[in-house]
């Protein structure tokens, strides 16, 4: 794996976090391939091989539906989130395909409240080079450490 690919992976992770933190849901969808999968799963289920996930999307179309739902149909107390990411660990690199793992922490700030730790865990990602040369997530499995989540998860992690 060359330096240019490593730098592109770092930029992908940073751009992804910035986009989600900004609430740019149309752009968020574009980080994924058409036949992608995105799952948010508690660590206990992941380690035991249980398929139950908090969120599970199996195509870019499903991600577009989620983005629409966030913008137009979900009603909740507004809040901001901020991601702090660890550098991605490259587990496997092949021509145009990378398997990576990265730790994350998400902080949540509700209006007129103190900031709290919202979600902590790691992502297990398969990233591919698209036809235009851009790196995109083919599969993103977000494994969060706590068995408990506050209320619900509205925004993607």
């Amino acid at each position: 794996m060359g330096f240019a690919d490593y730098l592109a992976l770092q930029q992908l992770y940073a751009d992804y976090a910035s986009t989600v933190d900004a609430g740019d849901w149309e752009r968020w969808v574009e980080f994924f391939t058409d036949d992608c999968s995105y799952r948010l799963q508690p660590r206990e289920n992941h380690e035991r091989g249980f398929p139950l996930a908090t969120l599970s999307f199996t195509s870019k179309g499903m991600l577009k539906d989620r983005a629409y739902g966030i913008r137009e149909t979900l009603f909740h107390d507004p809040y901001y989130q901020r991601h702090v990411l660890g550098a991605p660990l490259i587990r496997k690199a092949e021509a145009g395909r990378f398997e990576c793992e990265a730790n994350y922490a998400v902080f949540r700030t509700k209006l007129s409240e103190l900031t709290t730790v919202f979600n902590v865990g790691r992502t297990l990602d398969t990233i591919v080079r698209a036809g235009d040369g851009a790196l995109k997530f083919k599969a993103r499995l977000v494994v969060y450490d706590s068995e408990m989540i506050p209320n619900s998860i509205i925004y993607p992690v």
Side-chain angles (χ1 to χ4, degrees), residues 43-141:
R43 181 178 185 163
E44 178 183 23
N45 287 0
H46 176 71
E47 289 179 351
R48 292 182 175 189
F50 296 160
L52 185 63
T54 306
L55 296 175
S56 182
F57 307 113
T58 57
S59 70
K60 192 173 189 177
M62 291 179 82
L63 297 181
K64 287 179 182 178
D65 286 347
R66 183 61 178 197
Y68 177 82
I70 291 169
R71 281 189 329 273
E72 303 295 333
T73 64
L74 297 176
F75 296 99
H76 59 89
D77 288 340
Y79 65 89
Y80 303 106
Q81 64 181 20
R82 185 73 50 202
H83 285 71
V84 177
L85 305 175
L89 175 61
I90 299 13
R91 295 283 186 194
K92 188 174 186 181
E94 300 173 340
R97 182 183 173 91
F98 306 93
E99 293 180 15
C100 305
E101 179 179 333
N103 294 328
Y104 72 86
V106 179
F107 296 87
R108 180 169 71 173
T109 306
K110 288 188 173 186
L111 304 177
S112 302
E113 291 184 22
L114 294 173
T115 298
T116 60
V117 176
F118 176 64
N119 195 279
V120 175
R122 64 187 169 132
T123 63
L124 304 172
D125 302 307
T126 301
I127 298 164
V128 296
R129 192 169 306 282
D132 63 358
L135 293 178
K136 296 192 178 254
F137 292 101
K138 173 125 177 97
R140 174 157 257 222
L141 172 58

